Amino acid sequence: MLMNSQLNRLLEIQLAHLNKAEFYKELLADTRTNLDLAEQAYRDALKAREVINIVAKETQQQLEMRITNIVTMALAAVFPDPYEFKLVFNERRNQTEADLLLVRDGEELSPVEGAGGGVLDVVSFALRIAVLLMSNHRRIIILDEPFRHLSADLQPKASEMMKMLSDKLGIQFIMVSH
């Protein structure tokens, strides 16, 4: 027969195990609750990301259209057989990047590799105009020989384009040239 001290010790051990079991049951219940909350937060985050992606795509489409139109019009104003400009947003390495392209006869070319310096000057100029139009800054642009690589016979067309932009869009140009 067990002695009182042994019986007391056995009861203490059983009580400790019961307390541990209750503790672990409560811990498990809390952990399940936290897991449920975390899973709900994750689902909510996925929904939010989806909304943000939709808004980003719509914004990118609007930017593509606005910038493409401005640069293509500038090219058409200066060159007799102009390129068409194309801005394309692509996702690479989980980040959005913008590709700038020139299109002629259905062929897409990199502006740097596929066109001359004069075309790049006009594209660069038109991109600056597009950025200015999308900002809240005063419509003043200071330029240092913006069309230095444009052939001499096309310089008057570039000047006319600048005058037209100044009149229609209210842009003031301050320019240094030879």
Side-chain angles (χ1 to χ4, degrees), residues 117-136:
V119 172
L120 291 177
D121 282 349
V122 173
V123 168
S124 172
F125 172 79
L127 287 171
R128 287 185 212 137
I129 298 299
V131 169
L132 179 67
L133 293 176
M134 290 185 283
S135 74
N136 291 328

Side-chain angles (χ1 to χ4, degrees), residues 2 7 11 16 18 31 36 42 52 73 81-83 89-90 111 119 124 137 144 168:
L2 293 173
L7 190 56
L11 287 173
L18 286 175
T31 303
D36 290 342
Y42 177 71
I52 290 169
M73 285 191 297
D81 182 23
Y83 291 94
F89 287 99
N90 292 305
V119 172
S124 172
H137 293 92
D144 182 13
K168 287 190 175 189

Side-chain angles (χ1 to χ4, degrees), residues 20-152:
K20 280 185 184 178
E22 285 300 315
F23 169 77
Y24 286 122
K25 282 181 186 176
E26 286 182 30
L27 182 61
L28 181 59
D30 287 348
T31 303
R32 283 187 177 144
T33 301
N34 288 338
L35 178 62
D36 290 342
L37 291 172
E39 286 174 344
Q40 184 59 46
Y42 177 71
R43 287 190 296 274
D44 292 346
L46 289 177
K47 287 178 188 175
R49 183 173 72 177
E50 189 176 318
V51 169
I52 290 169
N53 284 339
I54 290 169
V55 171
K57 291 283 184 206
E58 289 175 7
T59 302
Q60 289 169 359
Q61 288 173 346
Q62 290 175 4
L63 284 171
E64 281 180 26
M65 190 171 60
R66 286 183 79 182
I67 293 172
T68 294
N69 288 340
I70 290 169
V71 178
T72 297
M73 285 191 297
L75 288 166
V78 175
F79 295 98
D81 182 23
Y83 291 94
E84 178 185 331
F85 180 81
K86 190 173 177 182
L87 174 66
V88 180
F89 287 99
N90 292 305
E91 194 164 315
R92 295 185 187 102
R93 299 173 300 279
N94 291 327
Q95 293 198 349
T96 302
E97 296 179 2
D99 292 333
L100 309 177
L101 302 168
L102 293 174
V103 180
R104 184 180 270 171
D105 301 325
E107 184 179 353
E108 293 180 348
L109 309 163
S110 161
V112 175
E113 297 168 3
V119 172
L120 291 177
D121 282 349
V122 173
V123 168
S124 172
F125 172 79
L127 287 171
R128 287 185 212 137
I129 298 299
V131 169
L132 179 67
L133 293 176
M134 290 185 283
S135 74
N136 291 328
H137 293 92
R138 291 179 60 196
R139 292 188 174 187
I140 298 173
I141 294 183
I142 301 171
L143 303 163
D144 182 13
E145 297 185 34
F147 303 108
R148 73 181 128 254
H149 297 108
L150 190 63
S151 63

Side-chain angles (χ1 to χ4, degrees), residues 152-172:
D153 62 318
L154 296 175
Q155 294 281 339
K157 292 253 189 201
S159 178
E160 290 171 18
M161 175 194 56
M162 288 180 70
K163 173 80 170 108
M164 180 206 49
L165 289 172
S166 179
D167 293 342
K168 287 190 175 189
L169 301 175
I171 298 173
Q172 180 181 2

